Amino acid sequence: MIKVCKFGGTSMADGTMMKRVASIIHSDDARRYVVVSAPGKRYGGDVKITDLLYRCYDSVKENGTCGEAFEKIKERFRGIVAELGLSFDIESVLEETAREIEAEKSADFTASRGEYLSARVMAALLGFDFIDARDVVKFRPDGQLDDERTFYLTAAALKGKRYAVVSGFYGEDADGRVKTFSRGGSDVSGAIVARAVMADLYENWTDVSGFLACDPRIVDNPERIASMSYKELRELSYMGANVLHSESIFPVRAANIPICIKNTFRPTDEGTMILPISKYNYTGKIVTGIAGKKNFTVIFIEKSLMNAEIGFARKVLSVLEKYHVSFEHMPSGIDTMSFVIDSEELKNGVKEQLMEEIRREVSPDNLHAFDDVALIATVGHGMSKNVGTSAKLFDAIARAGINVRMIDQGSSELNIIVGVDNENCERAIRAIYEEFFKKDASFGL
Ligand code: ADP
Ligand code: ASP
Ligand code: MG
């Protein structure tokens, strides 16, 4: 039995937390390969090491030195090593790290040093071998993970090692420079290691007792999801449930390796199991979870008889392609078509140019853009098994007095997406949660 365990930022926040992590690892001999994040926040208002490192990078750009922020990083790591009573020579490692950051002048290299340092410390604490992710996680020239090569190199590096700590969050690009995943990416690193060693389980240790039905910062004490499918996970994490990085399922899914979300503060709590659909146990719930994400723009195009106009969609899509703009959703009707786009992609005049070109290409009757739209995903395999789910959902939103700007019910019947104004995002999530989890939990049974 092999378990790969990834510990997030809160779990690595200080020496006391690291000791807790060590005792979790030592309590189960199957916990052989450990992936760690950089130390995160110790209390509200604290700054994550990764954020301090991005500040160092800004300072290096400005005046060539790591500056103030690196002093804070040194203090944190000195404190951790002292608290752990390790003989590990943290001073020389920190000095060398600062020199390398100043020489490399790369945001990714700088940000990666949090995971590098915490993995070195954790390996020393556990007495495990340290594996530098740079040597095993490789990206292709197009920036995508070179998965086969990565799995091969990781498996080769771990072969013959009973225990090891691997740094999370980064790897190396095709030019041999350090490259990070997007924020929260140590979850992906954990999944890579799990896949490489064909683990029986990928344990993802964090600061909540599992994947909850919605963000606990929005709803007080939401229900825990006991188990969910990879598909549900993908939909919810992509739509803002950032307890797990949305790309973490890809390495494990192909090998059917289950993921278990566990709480470092309460290790005996059950957590959430994420499983392939074939092993998924339908619990009778209509909705598994709800997640929301803000700051989208909806571009709405209307033209009578667009359905009969051959090549209409192609022309519009080629305009998006020309401006390198990708879209999240494309709800359409007989005479209407909308594109939901991350507003970040439309900054610096791109939106206006793009709309002008759409106007020229297809001469629509109406062309509008709505900004500040939040997307809310209500997700669950149970929705396809129950009649009237969307009616209940829209009713709940209407009763809360919230205007729906856009609807997209994916063809999978796994997901209903509604667009509301950013300012209504939290309220709409609460209304949907109330409807499906509080009011009538037995509906459909
Ligand atoms: P880590 O540092 O361990 O990777 P993260 O901060 O990335 O942890 O993720 C855990 C946090 O995700 C929780 O503290 C919680 O605030 C937030 N979160 C958002 N949505 C959910 C959800 N649906 N279930 C559980 N936690 C959620
Ligand atoms: N330390 C990185 C971040 O803060 C990666 C991670 O924690 O997963 O985003
Ligand atoms: Mg995380």
Side-chain angles (χ1 to χ4, degrees):
M1 167 78 117
I2 301 180
K3 292 180 186 172
V4 168
C5 310
K6 177 260 171 179
F7 289 88
T10 326
S11 310
M12 301 295 294
D14 58 22
T16 311
M17 288 305 295
M18 289 191 185
K19 282 185 196 162
R20 208 185 270 268
V21 167
S23 91
I24 291 171
I25 294 165
H26 290 315
S27 70
D28 182 349
D29 192 48
R31 294 185 176 130
R32 290 172 46 189
Y33 303 119
V34 178
V35 175
V36 293
S37 282
K41 293 184 186 182
R42 292 160 292 183
Y43 44 82
D46 196 15
V47 188
K48 287 178 162 196
I49 291 287
T50 309
D51 292 316
L52 287 172
L53 284 162
Y54 282 115
R55 283 190 209 164
C56 287
Y57 173 66
D58 289 340
S59 163
V60 168
K61 261 193 317 190
E62 252 168 53
N63 56 39
T65 69
C66 285
E68 250 315 276
F70 202 76
E71 293 308 312
K72 294 206 171 98
I73 293 171
K74 280 185 182 166
E75 259 170 53
R76 292 272 305 259
F77 278 101
R78 277 184 198 133
I80 288 172
V81 169
E83 202 182 339
L84 296 174
L86 294 174
S87 56
F88 182 73
D89 183 8
I90 190 71
E91 287 308 320
S92 352
V93 179
L94 287 166
E95 288 311 322
E96 194 192 345
T97 302
R99 273 199 305 276
E100 284 175 340
I101 289 175
E102 288 167 6
E104 284 270 340
K105 296 184 175 44
S106 136
D108 281 21
F109 178 80
T110 307
S112 74
R113 295 304 87 187
E115 271 68 12
Y116 171 79
L117 292 168
S118 75
R120 296 268 323 250
V121 171
M122 204 59 205
L125 175 64
L126 294 165
F128 288 9
D129 284 316
F130 163 71
I131 305 283
D132 191 340
R134 182 177 196 164
D135 300 330
V136 293
V137 175
K138 304 287 177 180
F139 293 93
R140 287 195 294 251
D142 66 0
Q144 297 299 309
L145 179 72
D146 189 343
D147 38 14
E148 286 312 320
R149 191 162 161 241
T150 294
F151 300 151
Y152 174 78
L153 290 171
T154 308
L158 294 173
K159 193 164 177 233
K161 289 192 173 34
R162 179 144 185 96
Y163 306 105
V165 177
V166 185
S167 42
F169 190 39
Y170 67 94
E172 194 178 71
D173 71 12
D175 299 324
R177 305 195 70 190
V178 163
K179 176 176 163 56
T180 62
F181 291 104
S182 56
R183 295 302 302 264
S186 299
D187 292 332
V188 185
S189 313
I192 288 171
V193 176
R195 166 65 179 78
V197 300
M198 291 306 266
D200 298 279
L201 184 64
Y202 170 27
E203 285 183 339
N204 190 289
W205 291 82
T206 181
D207 58 0
V208 277
S209 290
F211 213 111
L212 307 172
C214 55
D215 191 330
R217 291 162 299 186
I218 298 178
V219 168
D220 267 347
N221 222 351
E223 258 182 42
R224 173 181 62 95
I225 302 170
S227 79
M228 65 205 286
S229 71
Y230 291 139
K231 276 193 174 160
E232 289 174 324
L233 166 72
R234 168 86 178 136
E235 300 282 348
L236 286 167
S237 55
Y238 187 74
M239 289 301 293
N242 55 9
V243 54
L244 207 62
H245 192 289
S246 64
E247 287 162 27
S248 10
I249 60 158
F250 296 122
V252 288
R253 187 176 59 182
N256 280 348
I257 299 167
I259 308 172
C260 184
I261 315 265
K262 298 279 284 176
N263 189 347
T264 306
F265 294 93
R266 301 169 61 101
T268 53
D269 281 4
E270 235 175 290
T272 298
M273 282 300 284
I274 299 155
L275 300 160
I277 186 83
S278 55
K279 302 213 176 108
Y280 174 79
N281 238 339
Y282 180 55
T283 56
K285 277 209 180 307
I286 310 175
V287 169
T288 301
I290 307 152
K293 211 167 158 185
K294 290 183 178 172
N295 300 325
F296 289 95
T297 297
V298 180
I299 296 187
F300 173 83
I301 309 167
E302 184 173 26
K303 188 175 186 187
S304 298
L305 297 174
M306 80 162 55
N307 60 325
E309 192 175 322
I310 307 280
F312 188 93
R314 181 187 48 77
K315 285 182 200 155
V316 178
L317 288 171
S318 61
V319 176
L320 292 183
E321 192 176 351
K322 178 172 164 195
Y323 286 90
H324 296 283
V325 168
S326 60
F327 63 90
E328 307 286 320
H329 298 277
M330 194 183 85
S332 54
I334 311 174
D335 296 326
T336 62
M337 178 183 268
S338 316
F339 290 92
V340 183
I341 298 165
D342 185 337
S343 306
E344 268 294 301
E345 298 212 30
L346 298 171
K347 281 193 326 201
N348 306 325
V350 171
K351 180 173 79 181
E352 290 71 21
Q353 289 172 40
L354 186 121
M355 287 177 65
E356 194 41 51
E357 194 140 343
I358 293 178
R359 196 168 280 124
R360 266 205 311 271
E361 277 291 325
V362 297
S363 315
D365 302 334
N366 256 316
L367 180 66
H368 295 295
F370 308 101
D371 291 320
D372 302 319
V373 173
L375 296 184
I376 296 167
T378 304
V379 175
H381 291 294
M383 298 201 303
S384 63
K385 299 182 170 69
N386 288 279
V387 197
T389 309
S390 5
K392 272 166 75 80
L393 179 91
F394 293 117
D395 237 34
I397 299 176
R399 274 200 313 277
I402 297 167
N403 194 12
V404 172
R405 293 224 162 248
M406 183 222 87
I407 301 167
D408 191 11
Q409 182 157 14
S411 50
S412 61
E413 288 192 81
L414 173 67
N415 198 350
I416 301 176
I417 306 231
V418 294
V420 301
D421 289 337
N422 270 347
E423 61 185 32
N424 288 328
C425 179
E426 287 83 5
R427 244 164 22 91
I429 291 177
R430 277 185 218 113
I432 301 170
Y433 182 80
E434 282 286 321
E435 183 67 37
F436 289 100
F437 290 85
K438 289 268 180 74
K439 214 175 127 206
D440 185 5
S442 63
F443 178 86
L445 283 178

